Amino acid sequence: MTAKPNHRPALRMFHLLAASALGLLLAACGATRGPAVAEHAETVPAQALDALMGNWHVAARVPWFGERGRVAHRVRFTADGDGHVAVHRTWRKGFAEPEESDDMTARRSGHSDLVWSVRLFGVVPGKLRILEVAEDGSWMLMDAQGRDIAWILTRAQVVEDAAYLELEKRIGRHGINTDKLRRVPQVPAQEGKLGFEPAAAPTSRR
């Protein structure tokens, strides 16, 4: 996978997708960060939204407490009509553990397609913001507005080290504290490797 520059057309395509990813973050905790990145109120073409729905892998994250230790963490976005996106998340606490999942709906926040709202567990409010996307749609960077939480999402399940380091640099330029960024093991071979977050239930303990 090769990191590519951000382009405005791709950004428009991902605006609505941002909504869905809200499900990734949202927790009532998290320290506030600096000023928000400038937003652009734009409309997402329906055909672009259709092309970008589907499965994403969480390659790395600055996690909220509920995400820590999750491996094989994935998100599926499905356009649900009326400006809504259905969000289905799956993960494991360890590669030998059963798969867990949850569902929620993301809704456009205000007039900008860059910021979307969800209610975690139907109660806790939160907002997700798109930071940057690949021209070819292979990766997306995002954060939780006003919170010290962020994600790197990729279409590829396994991201090579060089490509990951480039994405880490990119998200750092948006004010994300990369010292807190942790890679997420997506396959058992990544478990325990340097830079990857430990599983909540490590396989080596079983």
Side-chain angles (χ1 to χ4, degrees), residues 39 41-42 107-117 127:
E39 299 169 9
E42 300 184 34
R107 297 172 175 83
R108 183 181 292 103
S109 177
H111 298 293
S112 173
D113 287 334
L114 280 174
V115 181
W116 295 77
S117 299
K127 295 182 183 296

Side-chain angles (χ1 to χ4, degrees), residues 133-144:
V133 297
E135 181 181 8
D136 64 357
S138 61
W139 52 262
M140 175 168 56
L141 312 178
M142 63 187 66
D143 73 348

Side-chain angles (χ1 to χ4, degrees), residues 5 9 27 31 34 36 57 60 85 112 114-115 129 138 140 157 165 171-172:
H57 299 276
V85 172
S112 173
L114 280 174
V115 181
R129 180 177 54 182
S138 61
M140 175 168 56
Q157 183 180 26
L165 290 174
I171 202 168

